[in-house]
Amino acid sequence: MEFLTDLFKFLMERKKWWLLPMIIVLLLVGLLVVVGGGSAAAPFVYTLF
């Protein structure tokens, strides 16, 4: 969790707010791959890609 706080502090200090949507999308796609890899919903997740 320290990494996330450091990342947020970096975004605030450097005013790199345009990176925030990209980070959120990458986290959501990663979560989708992790959840879809080992569940019964895997066939439905793979049809999205």
Side-chain angles (χ1 to χ4, degrees), residues 6-30:
D6 287 341
L7 181 64
F8 187 70
K9 287 178 186 177
F10 170 78
L11 291 175
M12 285 180 44
E13 184 177 319
R14 303 281 185 180
K15 305 287 192 260
K16 302 276 186 190
W17 296 115
W18 56 272
L19 285 173
L20 198 59
M22 286 193 281
I23 292 170
I24 291 172
V25 167
L26 284 174
L27 288 174
L28 288 176
V29 169

